[in-house]
Amino acid sequence: MNRITRRDFLKLTSLGSLFMLNPSLFEVSSRRYFSSILIDKLPSNVIEIFQKVPHLRIDPRGYLCYIDETSDLLSRIPIIQTAWNKERMYPSDRLRMDMPWAIVLHWFGDRGGSDMKIDAYLRGFDDVRKIEDYETKTSAHFLVGDQSLKTALEGNGSISILQVQKPDQDGVPFLASHLRSLSLGSYHEGTQYFLKALYELRKETPAIRGGLIDFYERPNHDINSRTIGIEITGFDFDNPARYPSNQKIANVLGLVWALMIRYRIPAEYILGHNELQLNKPDPGKKFLALIRYLLGVYTLIQDNRNMNELVFGMFRSPNEDDSVAIAKYFKFVRHYLALVSIPQRVFEWEIWSGYWQSMQAIGNTPGEELPDSAMEHVAPLFDMEVDNPMAKFLEPPNHRGIDLVPKGNLNRLQNGLDVRLLYPGRCLFVGTGKGEHPGMQAIFRHRTVQGGEFISIYDGLKDVTNIKVNQLYPPKIKIGSVKSHQTWEKPFVHLGFAYASYWDYEYKFRTSLPMNVGRTWIMQRYMNPEAMIPDINQLGISIEQGAHYKMDKFGYPNKYDEPWFDIIR
């Protein structure tokens, strides 16, 4: 039986009063709020975001309204009109009713953060700028900031959510100037890689359509006339140093939720400016994936049938259980990000979002049952000390791992030297090596404490033990052995670490590497082993414990710094 807190009870009773006052505005369910059983298993960061999500609805006249947690009053979100909206409120300026609408997310591009006041953002909208071949003002429908609604409504000038356009009397928004025309040239030339990624995903799930496909395959009408624009204060959201605050993420989530319900907008019609205009980075690939993923989890912990259909409906089949559609949705979010981004960014996103922990909490999803690598100490690679590496990461420039050699006279090791698993993990591959090193290979999947997944690759093995693919193994287990070659006097193992999405979508399908592989390509897919093996007593590598080996802009080792993820505590 689910537990319900006193706070949740107050929320339920307050919403119940609102429903009695005006039932046409709300679809309140007895399971409207969090399931304690699921909440207990979600990452703490996700729980905090959900607790900050404002309870919003868009009324029949198109105005955004806020439900206070402790009140049965409905308050309207402030409207601060842009000049564009004041000048264009004619019937011909309404959003088109004959085509589906999309929600498009942008970052505003300001560097001021929460110090920026409303007037500064209005000046940004109202200043004349050149778009394509003409000068114009810009606009959006909403502006989202860092503050909670309760704080912002106290009138201190801070920004939570503002409606910056008045809708028409029947609630239909007027168009806003926030997007350029689509580049059909990129579509016909095959350079629209977001679109190519969707077509690739269609091979596995034919039902995938997506708002982006719809925009390109329909006649090239003005896309501003069928989109609702949301500007978000700040910039560079995909940079870990500039991740939006949890409150800002919660504000975006609450607003998107309200727009989807009011205007029946499916999740596949939530788009980014960068997807529609390739020379724009906003709002970031990782940020878009975060919103899509959080929207799915939030839908599961709310009992709203309309949102369930809007979010998971594209993946639902008549002869399949709903859990199949849910699993397909979350797999799509990560798979799409992996196709349009690089493995390093997917790893960062997994940590930021808590994706894998949420997948395990939800159940019946593509989550790996992996133990955190911090739960057990790193195992010794060999049963003896390690000498200085024969070759390090990117030394030589195309080297993707580290070559480790045991110390001492090894002539007595007639049968080879045992190689042991460093971290608890699941075996992904065992057999003839896929890389440039001769011999056998073993690959295992692991998870960091913060939730990012990576693989460890053991190359150049003489033989392997009876390890099996898809089985979980503890650290220190023997996975095989190495012995000296005719070319090298001492036995060594080539040890590599890579981001898990590189395995998922590239490496396991590849028999050989591209001939033009360089430093940048390697660093986008592989991790420096010296950052992944912190115990200098076990491996004999003279670096600071837990140090993260950084590279300069040319890809050369630069300096050591504190790691932003941990393999062991």
Side-chain angles (χ1 to χ4, degrees):
M1 180 176 180
N2 294 348
R3 302 189 301 274
I4 184 167
T5 65
R6 180 177 181 274
R7 182 182 180 190
D8 288 343
F9 175 76
L10 289 174
K11 291 179 183 178
L12 286 168
T13 54
S14 118
L15 280 176
S17 300
L18 283 168
F19 181 75
M20 294 296 291
L21 289 171
N22 195 343
S24 66
L25 292 181
F26 307 102
E27 294 181 12
V28 179
S29 164
S30 61
R31 292 181 59 228
R32 171 70 173 82
Y33 286 93
F34 306 155
S35 161
S36 296
I37 293 176
L38 178 57
I39 280 294
D40 288 344
K41 298 178 181 178
L42 289 174
S44 59
N45 188 52
V46 172
I47 296 172
E48 181 181 336
I49 291 172
F50 289 166
Q51 290 173 339
K52 293 176 180 292
V53 173
H55 309 303
L56 302 171
R57 291 292 185 274
I58 296 176
D59 71 15
R61 295 189 60 192
Y63 292 101
L64 184 65
C65 301
Y66 169 54
I67 310 163
D68 195 317
E69 294 179 359
T70 60
S71 171
D72 59 358
L73 297 177
L74 189 67
S75 58
R76 182 176 289 178
I77 297 298
I79 294 183
I80 311 294
Q81 273 185 289
T82 62
W84 170 278
N85 182 230
K86 291 177 182 178
E87 296 166 3
R88 293 169 176 81
M89 298 183 66
Y90 300 100
S92 59
D93 296 318
R94 288 160 53 96
L95 293 191
R96 296 180 63 115
M97 302 295 290
D98 58 337
M99 293 184 178
W101 296 352
I103 299 169
V104 180
L105 304 180
H106 309 253
W107 69 48
F108 195 87
D110 61 282
R111 267 61 170 173
S114 58
D115 294 333
M116 293 273 287
K117 301 302 181 184
I118 293 173
D119 289 346
Y121 288 102
L122 274 181
R123 286 195 298 272
F125 281 123
D126 296 343
D127 287 345
V128 175
R129 66 184 70 180
K130 190 170 184 178
I131 296 181
E132 294 176 341
D133 296 327
Y134 65 97
E135 291 185 341
T136 183
K137 298 171 184 176
T138 59
S139 186
H141 295 89
F142 299 91
L143 176 65
V144 176
D146 280 289
Q147 299 299 311
S148 69
L149 269 173
K150 185 175 182 182
T151 300
L153 291 175
E154 292 174 355
N156 61 3
S158 60
I159 296 175
S160 174
I161 303 174
L162 293 176
Q163 192 164 357
V164 292
Q165 286 206 175
K166 282 187 177 180
D168 208 353
Q169 293 182 356
D170 59 355
V172 174
F174 293 103
L175 67 85
S177 173
H178 64 114
L179 295 169
R180 293 186 181 184
S181 300
L182 290 178
S183 172
L184 292 182
S186 65
Y187 172 55
H188 294 301
E189 294 166 7
T191 58
Q192 222 299 5
Y193 63 96
F194 292 100
L195 200 62
K196 289 170 69 176
L198 289 172
Y199 287 144
E200 181 68 24
L201 292 170
R202 267 185 169 179
K203 296 177 182 177
E204 183 178 343
T205 309
I208 288 177
R209 39 187 198 274
L212 191 63
I213 293 176
D214 180 46
F215 274 106
Y216 275 97
E217 292 187 348
R218 285 177 184 264
N220 189 24
H221 295 286
D222 176 18
I223 54 177
N224 285 318
S225 66
R226 48 181 299 209
T227 54
I228 296 174
I230 298 176
E231 290 279 356
I232 308 165
T233 63
F235 77 109
D236 201 14
F237 292 165
D238 278 2
N239 184 339
R242 296 191 179 94
Y243 284 162
S245 66
N246 283 348
Q247 183 62 66
K248 183 180 290 186
I249 295 168
N251 290 346
V252 173
L253 189 61
L255 176 57
V256 167
W257 180 279
L259 288 168
M260 289 175 68
I261 289 180
R262 174 62 175 82
Y263 299 115
R264 302 293 300 167
I265 299 175
E268 61 265 30
Y269 280 82
I270 300 172
L271 303 173
H273 193 183
N274 54 339
E275 293 177 307
L276 292 161
Q277 190 175 334
L278 294 181
N279 64 342
K280 290 289 186 179
D282 60 312
K285 298 171 184 176
K286 286 158 54 180
F287 182 77
L288 265 175
L290 179 74
I291 295 300
R292 288 163 175 157
Y293 143 79
L294 289 175
L295 182 65
V297 180
Y298 196 60
T299 299
L300 290 179
I301 61 176
Q302 310 287 336
D303 190 26
N304 187 306
R305 285 178 293 180
N306 288 337
M307 280 300 293
N308 192 285
E309 179 59 31
L310 290 171
V311 174
F312 303 116
M314 180 173 69
F315 299 96
R316 187 169 283 121
S317 299
N319 300 324
E320 291 181 337
D321 187 85
D322 278 357
S323 63
V324 177
I326 293 168
K328 287 180 179 178
Y329 175 82
F330 287 111
K331 182 180 180 181
F332 164 81
V333 171
R334 181 175 177 269
H335 196 166
Y336 179 66
L337 176 64
L339 290 177
V340 301
S341 186
I342 57 176
Q344 180 185 5
R345 300 290 177 257
V346 177
F347 178 81
E348 293 170 356
W349 177 79
E350 290 170 353
I351 291 176
W352 184 21
S353 66
Y355 175 83
W356 292 113
Q357 297 96 314
S358 294
M359 294 304 95
Q360 289 188 192
I362 292 167
N364 296 319
T365 61
E368 289 275 0
E369 293 289 341
L370 288 175
D372 290 345
S373 294
M375 301 306 292
E376 302 191 47
H377 291 290
V378 62
L381 184 66
F382 303 127
D383 288 332
M384 56 195 310
E385 292 185 6
V386 176
D387 209 339
N388 291 326
M390 289 176 54
K392 291 188 177 183
F393 185 59
L394 295 178
E395 298 177 17
N398 65 342
H399 200 243
R400 291 167 289 145
I402 191 169
D403 292 340
L404 294 172
V405 184
K407 282 185 177 180
N409 184 357
L410 305 177
N411 293 331
R412 57 187 173 83
L413 299 173
Q414 300 295 328
N415 297 321
L417 181 67
D418 290 349
V419 177
R420 300 191 178 278
L421 183 63
L422 288 173
Y423 305 106
R426 185 183 302 279
C427 181
L428 297 177
F429 174 83
V430 59
T432 304
K434 289 173 171 284
E436 66 274 17
H437 292 271
M440 303 294 286
Q441 183 186 63
I443 302 176
F444 294 82
R445 192 183 193 107
H446 317 277
R447 182 177 298 155
T448 67
V449 179
Q450 288 86 347
E453 294 200 347
F454 66 99
I455 62 173
S456 60
I457 306 166
Y458 303 81
D459 267 317
L461 302 176
K462 178 180 75 74
D463 54 38
V464 292
T465 58
N466 189 30
I467 53 176
K468 299 191 181 298
V469 172
N470 291 327
Q471 294 295 311
L472 279 172
Y473 291 98
K476 302 184 181 181
I477 188 172
K478 178 182 175 181
I479 59 176
S481 64
V482 292
K483 67 180 302 184
S484 59
H485 299 256
Q486 291 181 351
T487 309
W488 302 281
E489 294 181 359
K490 293 183 177 182
F492 75 93
V493 63
H494 173 83
L495 178 63
F497 295 95
Y499 303 106
S501 66
Y502 174 50
W503 165 265
D504 293 336
Y505 306 118
E506 291 185 68
Y507 190 44
K508 73 177 177 181
F509 304 111
R510 188 186 298 280
T511 56
S512 61
L513 289 174
M515 296 304 294
N516 61 344
V517 164
R519 286 178 176 272
T520 300
W521 189 94
I522 291 172
M523 288 190 294
Q524 289 172 347
R525 291 158 177 82
Y526 287 85
M527 312 163 89
N528 191 325
E530 295 185 8
M532 310 297 291
I533 312 170
D535 197 323
I536 59 175
N537 294 323
Q538 290 172 345
L539 294 182
I541 300 173
S542 56
I543 63 172
E544 296 178 15
Q545 184 168 348
H548 183 53
Y549 206 116
K550 289 192 173 181
M551 304 289 169
D552 65 17
K553 64 180 180 180
F554 302 107
Y556 290 93
N558 186 10
K559 64 178 182 178
Y560 299 109
D561 202 352
E562 290 298 318
W564 54 272
F565 62 90
D566 298 320
I567 303 304
I568 70 168
R569 295 189 189 279

